Each structure stands twice: as structure tokens, then as C-alpha cells.
Amino acid sequence: MSACETSRVDFAGQNGRPRILIVGAGFAGLSAAKHLAKADVEITIVDRRNFHLFQPLLYQVATAALNPSDIAYPIRSIFRKQRNVASILLAEVVGVDCQGRTVQLEDGECLGYEYLIVAAGATHSYFGHDEWRKHAPGLKTVEDALDMRRRIFDAYEQAERYPDLASEYLNFVVVGAGPTGVELAGAMVEIAVHALRQEFDRIDPGQAHVTLVEASSRVLAAYTEPLGKSARRQLEELGVEVRTDTLVTEISERSVVFDDGSTLPTRTVFWAAGVQAADLMQELGSDRDRVGRVVVQPDLSLDGHPEVFVIGDAASVTSQGKPVPGTAPAAMQQGRHAAEQILADLSAKPRNSFRYRDKGSLATIGRARAVAQLPRLHFSGVAAWLAWLFVHVFFLIGFRNRTFVILSWAWNYITFRRGARIITKVGSGREK
Amino acid sequence: MSACETSRVDFAGQNGRPRILIVGAGFAGLSAAKHLAKADVEITIVDRRNFHLFQPLLYQVATAALNPSDIAYPIRSIFRKQRNVASILLAEVVGVDCQGRTVQLEDGECLGYEYLIVAAGATHSYFGHDEWRKHAPGLKTVEDALDMRRRIFDAYEQAERYPDLASEYLNFVVVGAGPTGVELAGAMVEIAVHALRQEFDRIDPGQAHVTLVEASSRVLAAYTEPLGKSARRQLEELGVEVRTDTLVTEISERSVVFDDGSTLPTRTVFWAAGVQAADLMQELGSDRDRVGRVVVQPDLSLDGHPEVFVIGDAASVTSQGKPVPGTAPAAMQQGRHAAEQILADLSAKPRNSFRYRDKGSLATIGRARAVAQLPRLHFSGVAAWLAWLFVHVFFLIGFRNRTFVILSWAWNYITFRRGARIITKVGSGREK
């Protein structure tokens, strides 16, 4: 990082206003920037992508219900009218020098700051089996979603071409029964049973078999036990085979092996089992937990560096003694909290500890199937599904995106079909 | 191809009905299959893609106005109810044995036929300069369109990051002033002037400069001279620099060189200058024209092989002594004609010569700007643009696609913005 000392470039103006550098425009970074809208500061936002992605609906892109641009919104458009956003850069941060108060971009350029907000998010964790990545992609980026979509629909095409291998191609496996795994498994059954009905000549898509594998004893472990059981029952009613207490010990191109020694022949495995913090967290020189998240102070700043905040999925945060979940609402609350601490500093007021307010959780399973865990009310089925629809549309950014998502859902609901069922070739989400 | 003689696989049933094999589900192949809907035959359709693509609107995907799935429709869905379509295969045809009446797929499998309809389309031609392909992509596939979209919007991002190079990044060049080149150039100016307005801090997107280069002396050479002049005037009013009588002699990563010796620094060049027939045409053993299209008999069949038809952009067809253009309406008419010749054979009636009926041409230039050349009426401006909108929506397949295209256009028109402005990484359209 020493290169930065001599060639420091100050993007924000030199007019004495504090420069706030936000790394990542996910839910956490966006929320921080918005809550600083009226502050007398100069904000720079750096992201590897030109858009904010509404990740909770990414599985719907993977299952051809929505288009990528329905759930993505250009970062520049979001801040078009926020005047203290001095610069938005499509770039990757590769290093942080907390002593020198600079970050380094992938092309060597350095940005100075008075405040740094790191909201770089998370990626998949294969628990030491990175060789599985190739056969069992996860779902974090638009490219991941398009890759999944290609794999799902291509499996049916290959089964049609090679009926001898149909049983292999029509076995789908999802590893991990958290919200993403549950949503993916449910949607994949609906594709088999409804969307592809009557369209193949040599195979019956309805014969496809979706297996949801979970290492723990429960589906949706973050929910109450009755809701987890309800989710499991709803999945099984759809036709998903749920295998709890089951570990995956091997994933290859043509099969998955479980810890009971059994082998499931399959060409399509998706990974929804584990996440780890972005690699950038290693650059901060702070304590990290076992999944790489930076352990932050109660006010979300770094130990010894009150001017650096780490928020969102990249941070290990506790509130009232309990770990804060890696969800969009928690990330937004953390973004707001970091912004408020900076505003407190600027008006010479004391800082506060972050306190997570759990407003509830919703997970959808399929058509008119979901579970809802609100602070005082737990329910499932159609009501939970309607709540889920409403909340997700409400939090989407932009009138156009909301309109198109509502229309797509209405069309899907009425016709049982999927509007984005095209197989395209996608670049890897990992390379530049 | 000799491998096929011994390992011939008959996909369609063995019940004595003639097997009709259609290669390619573009406008020509689709039209042939549909006009055979009531025939007592068994149809097999082979395409490298699982969808039919409405190519006339592909430039709108490239310029972020539409999503790929808005203009793509699954081939299986199109033929769900056509009972004589016995098989649809996602596969690539690599060889044709007209003597043995078989085609070979990329995995070595062979398909027999009684009638073969080859509608494999065309690809770009760089006139012997294939090294230009890397720097100047063309627009034939969904991946091409997403690659163009990425290049357009990334150029502005790079200009923002490296203002010293802004003039290079903000120069856009389109080679070829046919309909695709004209549409691309017009849309690119609208992106610069409207869609990105007020979104950058260090550059002014309105400073972007779009140059349309054409080797001949005219814009839209297939239209009448007054309409070509009108198109040129409309382009220039938008701000496009039109350079006719200009040949490109070199394209590199950072510049284009013209035949007058001048060099234009640019990072973004698009190719809309030439097409050539699909490589598969070399396998047919027939005469081909200088762009590789197979020269067909008046009934669109191959000389010496009345059971083989070549139609669409892969065929060199004349009607009443004049060459038939490579447009969607011409391809659809040829598909219908090939189907009718097969129906005539089956009922022991004589065949007819193909006769092209020119129902008119429309080309759009931008917001409320277009030209229309109908058989007895030529006009331009708003009326032509409305006619263009209507015709394109009318010929789109599927209620959902029509609805979403109309809504996207309405949103674009009202807000001046582009709904699909996300930069994603795309695989090459050329590799498997």
C-alpha cells in the first residue's frame, strides 16, 4: 500500500468538506449514502458494477421469471439528484491503508478519505472444497443467475436429446435449505411441472426430481421450528425431496455423494449452503470471524479506527448480545447507523451503539406458498405469500422495475409460464 | 459424412409419413414449419438456440431499450400445439449428405429426411479482415447485443474514470449505413444526449460523438434516393456525423483509419457493413455467390435435389430477375413457398417459382424519426415511425413480449431513459 503515500489522488474537491468513501453499493452502502444526503460532505461511491442489485429476487432471474434489469438499477440514476455525491466510480478496491487513509483501486490509483464505509458484501463459501464451484455454482451475481438459468433449461434440452441419460439430466440438487435454497428448489419444481408442460417429445419434464439437501436438522434454520416445519411440508407438497441431516461429501460433473455413502446421479447442482466475506476484508488488518467477516465495534467502526466503518454482509455485528443476520433489512439499518455516526461526529455529538430492529422475515416457497415470521405474528401459506410479494415490490427501486416485476408476476401466475426462458451464454461473474 | 450411412438414426417415427427436417428456426424456418401445420408429415426442427429471435429489434437490446427475452420466444412454446412437429432439437448441424439424405449433428448423430429445409441464416463478414472482429463486433445474436450494450455503457464509465482519455472513449463509430447501422447510430446519440444526462461528474455524456461510416455514396442504399437523403438529414439533425464514400482501412483497439488517410481515435466500433451465409452452406456442394449464399432454383430447391430447399439469408434468390433482399418478410415468404412446394409434391401437383412480394420497408432512426417505403407511398418522420412501431409489435410473437415491448417503449418515450442499462459480462456468441 505504500504506493499510495506518494501518488495520492483526491477525487473529491479540495474545499475542506470531509470526503466520505463508500465501497460497495449494495443495500448497506446505498443506505449509508442516502442517509448522508443532507450532510455537508463529499461522497465517493466505488462499485465493481454500474448497478445496485436487488439480491432477494435474484433466484427469480435464475428461474426465468424475471429479467436481470428488472431487479437492477443504475447507481448513477439513484444518485442523480443527490448533490453531495461527488463521484461514482466503476472500479474495484484491492487495498486499504487505514494509517494513510487511502484505498487503492485495481489500476493502482489511490483515493484518500476522511471517512471510509466498507460495504463490500459476501461471496460463496465451499467450506474448503473450491473444486465444487465449477459443478455447483452459487447465486450472488447477475452472471450467476444467468448461468443457473442456462443450466436448468439446458438440462431438459440434453435430456430430450439423450433420453438414455434423462434420469441424470432430470435430477436437480440444491445444497442448503436457507431462504435461497428453499426458493430455488420450489421454483425448479414449478418449472418442471408447469412451465415446460407438453413441450418435449421424448421426455416428460414432470418426471424431473428436485432434491434439497441440508446439513442441519431443519429447513429455514433462522425461523421458528413450526415455520421451518411448515416450509418443509409446503416443499414436500410441491414434490421437492427434502434431505435434512445430510452432508455433501463430493460433487462431480455427473453426481453428488452424501455422507451416508449414497450417490445421486445428477448434472445440475446449485450451491446455497455457505457464504464468506469479500476478500477485501483481509486488507483491513482487523479481527475476523471464521467466515472472514470483520468484527466491528458496537458503533460498527473498526477497533482503533473510528473513521472506518464495516457494514452489511462483510461485517460480524452483534446487537444486544445476539448476532445480526446477513439480510437486506439488517444491511440497510447498518448503513443508516454508520451515516448517523458520521453526522454525530460532524456536529460533535457522541456516538451510539448499533441496535438491530427485527421487523420480521419472509421466505417464499412457490405459487401461493410462503412463511412469515413477524415480531408477534407467525403465519404461512397464501397470506405469507401475499405479504412477501408486497414487501419485495415495495423495496424495489424505481417505478419501471416495480411495474415490470408486478406484470411479470401476474403473467406467470395466470399462465403458469416463465417469460425469460432463453438459454444464453454468460461470462463468469468472477473474471474481469 | 460417410459415417451417417451406417449409423443412421431416424428421429421421426417409422410410420411412413415423410420426414421433414428444418435447420434453423429464424423467420424462414419458422414460416416453413407453420405452413406445414396441417400436412401429414413428421417435422423435426434443429436449432443451436432454444429460442426464435426477433432480429429486427436486436439493436434495441444493444442500446438498453429492451431485454433479450422481450424479443426471444422459446421454439418449443411456438410449436406446443402443432402436432406434426415430432421433435425439436437444440443442436448444431455440421454436415449434410444430400446423396444419403442425412444431416450430421455436432455430436456425430445423424438424422435422415425425405425433405430438408436449410434456413441457417447469415453471420458477419469482415471482407477478409477477420482481425477486426475483436474490436468491431457485429449484431446477429443475443450475446452480440449484450456485448454491444456493455461496450457502450462501459465507454462512459471509463471516460469518467480517465478524463484524459475521454475524447477517445466518447467517440463511437458505426460501420455500414444500412438499416442496422442507421438504427444503432441514432440510438447511440439518444443515449448520450438523454439517457445519461446529469449522471456523470467529470464528463458530459452529451459531448459523445457518433460517426456513421458508409462505403457507398448513400445512407440506406436499399431505399429510394429521396428517402435515403431524408434518413441522412434526420441522422444529422440528431447529431450523427455521416461519412459516405468512406472506406475503413484499419480498425484497432484505439482507433479507426479511413481510406483518405485520416485516423479517428475511438474505443468503440460496431460493424454493420456486411454479412455472409452460415458456414454450413459449404456442405451442400452447390454453387454459391460471393457472400457464400447458395444459388437456388426458381422453386428454392437445390439443383439436382428437389427434396432440399435453401431459404432465408443463406440463399441467393431472384424473383422476376431481381435479387430478393435479406429481410424478415422475404425470409417468411420463402419459408411459406418451400412449404407449399412440399405440399404440392405430396398431392402430386406441379411446383411453382418463388415470387417475392415487396410489401414495403421501414427503418427507424430515433425518437419519432423513421423512413417508410411502401409500394405506392413513401414518407418519413413521425408517421413512418408510428408505422414502424405498429409493424414491429404486430410481428412479435407472444402476448407477453408484445405487452412488455409496448410498455418499455412507452416508458422510454416518456422518460427519455433506458430500462436495461446494466453492464453484465457476456460469453461469446461464437463459442459453444
Side-chain angles (χ1 to χ4, degrees):
Chain A
M1 291 312 311
S2 57
C4 285
E5 256 80 35
T6 50
S7 68
R8 179 161 155 174
V9 176
D10 293 334
F11 257 70
Q14 304 283 346
N15 57 6
R17 294 195 292 171
R19 295 165 303 174
I20 299 181
L21 181 58
I22 299 176
V23 179
F27 287 105
L30 219 58
S31 166
K34 284 185 165 177
H35 283 97
L36 288 166
K38 292 182 180 154
D40 189 23
V41 297
E42 289 203 348
I43 299 170
T44 295
I45 299 170
V46 182
D47 198 292
R48 287 184 297 184
R49 297 314 189 89
N50 76 325
F51 53 86
H52 167 73
L53 182 66
F54 193 81
Q55 273 193 354
L57 289 179
L58 197 55
Y59 84 96
Q60 296 222 348
V61 175
T63 54
L66 295 176
N67 282 300
S69 62
D70 295 335
I71 61 163
Y73 204 86
I75 300 167
R76 295 191 185 283
S77 299
I78 296 171
F79 293 105
R80 181 145 70 147
K81 290 180 180 159
Q82 184 170 327
R83 301 193 53 188
N84 65 1
V85 174
S87 189
I88 295 170
L89 294 178
L90 181 71
E92 181 164 3
V93 172
V94 295
V96 179
D97 174 7
C98 291
Q99 303 306 326
R101 295 195 179 177
T102 52
V103 305
Q104 190 169 8
L105 305 183
E106 86 288 355
D107 66 348
E109 199 162 25
C110 293
L111 308 178
Y113 63 81
E114 271 72 57
Y115 285 98
L116 174 66
I117 298 177
V118 180
T123 181
H124 320 293
S125 166
Y126 288 85
F127 306 133
H129 288 279
D130 277 348
E131 72 276 13
W132 294 352
R133 186 184 300 272
K134 191 170 57 164
H135 306 300
L139 187 62
K140 279 282 170 198
T141 67
V142 166
E143 287 80 7
D144 289 342
L146 294 177
D147 183 32
M148 277 195 183
R149 188 167 87 183
R150 182 184 63 72
R151 287 175 188 244
I152 293 170
F153 292 99
D154 201 47
Y156 291 93
E157 295 293 340
Q158 297 304 319
E160 173 83 356
R161 253 191 102 172
Y162 306 109
D164 293 350
L165 299 171
S167 64
E168 215 170 289
Y169 278 114
L170 296 182
N171 261 342
F172 297 91
V173 178
V174 178
V175 184
T180 300
V182 166
E183 287 163 348
L184 270 178
M188 282 161 70
V189 170
E190 295 190 333
I191 287 171
V193 176
H194 297 303
L196 298 179
R197 214 175 149 193
Q198 297 182 324
E199 296 207 350
F200 289 82
D201 303 292
R202 307 159 94 200
I203 59 161
D204 173 8
Q207 296 298 312
H209 189 80
V210 178
T211 306
L212 179 63
V213 187
E214 166 63 38
S216 82
S217 62
R218 291 192 36 199
V219 166
L220 295 181
Y223 288 66
T224 65
E225 200 165 332
L227 284 180
K229 279 188 180 157
S230 168
R232 181 181 186 134
R233 188 177 40 71
Q234 293 182 61
L235 282 166
E236 289 173 344
E237 282 169 6
L238 273 177
V240 175
E241 181 181 344
V242 182
R243 294 182 67 158
T244 47
D245 291 312
T246 301
L247 276 171
V248 168
T249 57
E250 205 185 309
I251 302 177
S252 68
E253 195 192 342
R254 297 184 63 170
S255 67
V256 170
V257 182
F258 302 112
D259 58 348
D260 65 0
S262 63
T263 299
L264 186 64
T266 175
R267 298 276 188 156
T268 317
V269 185
F270 295 140
W271 189 259
V275 294
Q276 61 190 19
D279 288 347
L280 181 64
M281 297 309 107
Q282 298 163 16
E283 299 289 318
L284 291 172
S286 289
D287 286 348
R288 291 179 297 135
D289 68 7
R290 68 182 171 80
V291 295
R293 297 181 305 178
V294 170
V295 180
V296 294
Q297 301 299 101
D299 66 353
L300 305 182
S301 73
L302 274 194
D303 189 16
H305 286 285
E307 78 283 4
V308 179
F309 296 89
V310 184
I311 57 176
D313 287 353
S316 171
V317 182
T318 53
S319 169
Q320 301 173 289
K322 284 193 290 188
V324 175
T327 61
M332 288 190 278
Q333 289 179 30
Q334 291 168 47
R336 177 182 189 150
H337 186 83
E340 286 169 348
Q341 304 321 297
I342 294 173
L343 294 173
D345 284 6
L346 296 179
S347 50
K349 289 181 184 154
R351 289 189 174 188
N352 297 318
S353 296
F354 174 70
R355 190 171 162 177
Y356 171 59
R357 289 167 222 82
D358 183 2
K359 291 174 181 164
S361 310
L362 297 159
T364 187
I365 292 145
R367 199 180 177 79
R369 293 170 194 272
V371 292
Q373 178 167 314
L374 306 190
R376 278 174 223 166
L377 193 63
H378 300 172
F379 55 104
S380 58
V382 180
W385 184 68
L386 290 172
W388 180 91
L389 290 181
F390 178 80
V391 166
H392 283 76
V393 168
F394 183 82
F395 279 102
L396 263 181
I397 293 176
F399 172 75
R400 184 189 179 283
N401 286 2
R402 278 183 202 150
T403 309
F404 278 66
V405 166
I406 291 171
L407 286 172
S408 297
W409 286 350
W411 187 82
N412 293 353
Y413 191 83
I414 293 165
T415 65
F416 285 88
R417 303 190 79 70
R418 305 253 158 188
R421 216 183 87 200
I422 64 173
I423 300 174
T424 52
K425 293 162 190 109
V426 288
S428 155
R430 255 150 286 283
E431 309 147 31
K432 185 79 185 184
Chain B
M1 291 313 312
S2 56
C4 286
E5 257 79 34
T6 51
S7 68
R8 179 161 156 177
V9 175
D10 292 333
F11 258 69
Q14 304 284 346
N15 57 7
R17 294 194 293 169
R19 294 165 304 172
I20 300 182
L21 181 57
I22 300 177
V23 179
F27 287 105
L30 217 58
S31 167
K34 284 183 166 178
H35 283 97
L36 288 166
K38 291 181 182 155
D40 189 23
V41 297
E42 290 203 347
I43 301 171
T44 295
I45 300 170
V46 181
D47 198 293
R48 288 184 296 183
R49 298 314 190 87
N50 75 326
F51 53 85
H52 167 73
L53 182 66
F54 193 81
Q55 272 193 356
L57 289 179
L58 196 55
Y59 84 97
Q60 297 223 348
V61 174
T63 54
L66 295 177
N67 282 300
S69 64
D70 295 336
I71 61 164
Y73 204 85
I75 300 166
R76 294 191 187 285
S77 301
I78 295 171
F79 292 106
R80 183 145 67 148
K81 290 179 181 159
Q82 186 169 328
R83 300 191 56 186
N84 65 0
V85 174
S87 189
I88 295 170
L89 294 177
L90 181 71
E92 181 165 2
V93 172
V94 295
V96 179
D97 174 7
C98 291
Q99 305 306 328
R101 295 195 179 177
T102 53
V103 306
Q104 189 167 12
L105 305 183
E106 86 287 356
D107 66 347
E109 200 161 23
C110 293
L111 307 180
Y113 63 82
E114 270 72 58
Y115 284 99
L116 174 66
I117 299 178
V118 181
T123 182
H124 319 295
S125 165
Y126 289 87
F127 306 133
H129 288 280
D130 277 347
E131 70 277 14
W132 294 352
R133 187 186 298 271
K134 191 169 61 167
H135 306 300
L139 186 62
K140 279 283 170 196
T141 67
V142 165
E143 287 80 8
D144 289 343
L146 295 177
D147 182 33
M148 278 195 183
R149 187 168 87 185
R150 182 183 63 73
R151 287 174 188 245
I152 293 170
F153 291 99
D154 201 48
Y156 291 94
E157 296 292 341
Q158 297 304 319
E160 173 83 355
R161 255 192 100 174
Y162 307 108
D164 293 351
L165 299 171
S167 64
E168 215 169 290
Y169 278 114
L170 296 182
N171 261 342
F172 298 90
V173 178
V174 178
V175 184
T180 300
V182 165
E183 287 163 346
L184 270 178
M188 283 161 71
V189 170
E190 294 189 334
I191 288 171
V193 175
H194 297 302
L196 298 179
R197 213 174 150 194
Q198 297 182 325
E199 296 208 349
F200 289 82
D201 303 292
R202 307 159 95 202
I203 58 161
D204 173 7
Q207 296 298 310
H209 189 80
V210 178
T211 306
L212 179 63
V213 187
E214 167 63 38
S216 81
S217 62
R218 292 195 33 201
V219 166
L220 295 180
Y223 288 66
T224 64
E225 198 163 337
L227 284 180
K229 279 188 180 156
S230 168
R232 181 181 188 134
R233 188 178 38 71
Q234 293 183 61
L235 282 166
E236 288 173 344
E237 281 169 7
L238 274 176
V240 175
E241 181 182 343
V242 180
R243 294 181 67 160
T244 45
D245 291 312
T246 302
L247 275 172
V248 168
T249 57
E250 205 184 309
I251 302 177
S252 68
E253 195 191 341
R254 298 183 62 169
S255 67
V256 170
V257 182
F258 302 111
D259 58 347
D260 64 0
S262 64
T263 298
L264 185 64
T266 173
R267 299 273 190 158
T268 317
V269 185
F270 295 139
W271 189 259
V275 294
Q276 61 189 20
D279 288 348
L280 181 63
M281 296 311 107
Q282 298 164 18
E283 300 289 319
L284 290 173
S286 288
D287 285 350
R288 293 179 296 134
D289 68 8
R290 63 181 175 80
V291 295
R293 297 181 304 177
V294 170
V295 180
V296 293
Q297 301 298 104
D299 66 355
L300 306 181
S301 72
L302 274 195
D303 189 14
H305 286 285
E307 78 285 4
V308 178
F309 295 89
V310 184
I311 56 176
D313 287 355
S316 172
V317 182
T318 52
S319 170
Q320 300 172 287
K322 284 193 291 186
V324 175
T327 62
M332 289 190 279
Q333 289 179 27
Q334 290 168 46
R336 178 182 190 149
H337 185 83
E340 286 169 348
Q341 303 322 297
I342 293 173
L343 294 173
D345 283 6
L346 296 180
S347 49
K349 289 180 185 153
R351 290 189 174 191
N352 296 318
S353 296
F354 174 70
R355 189 170 164 176
Y356 172 59
R357 291 166 221 80
D358 184 2
K359 291 175 181 163
S361 310
L362 296 158
T364 186
I365 291 144
R367 200 182 176 78
R369 292 170 195 273
V371 292
Q373 177 168 314
L374 305 190
R376 278 170 225 169
L377 192 65
H378 300 173
F379 53 104
S380 58
V382 179
W385 184 68
L386 290 173
W388 181 90
L389 290 181
F390 177 80
V391 167
H392 283 76
V393 168
F394 183 83
F395 279 102
L396 262 179
I397 291 175
F399 173 76
R400 183 189 180 283
N401 287 3
R402 280 183 201 152
T403 309
F404 279 67
V405 166
I406 291 171
L407 285 172
S408 297
W409 286 349
W411 187 83
N412 293 353
Y413 191 82
I414 295 165
T415 65
F416 285 87
R417 304 190 79 71
R418 303 255 160 186
R421 216 184 87 198
I422 66 173
I423 301 175
T424 52
K425 293 162 188 104
V426 287
S428 154
R430 254 151 289 281
E431 310 148 31
K432 184 78 186 185

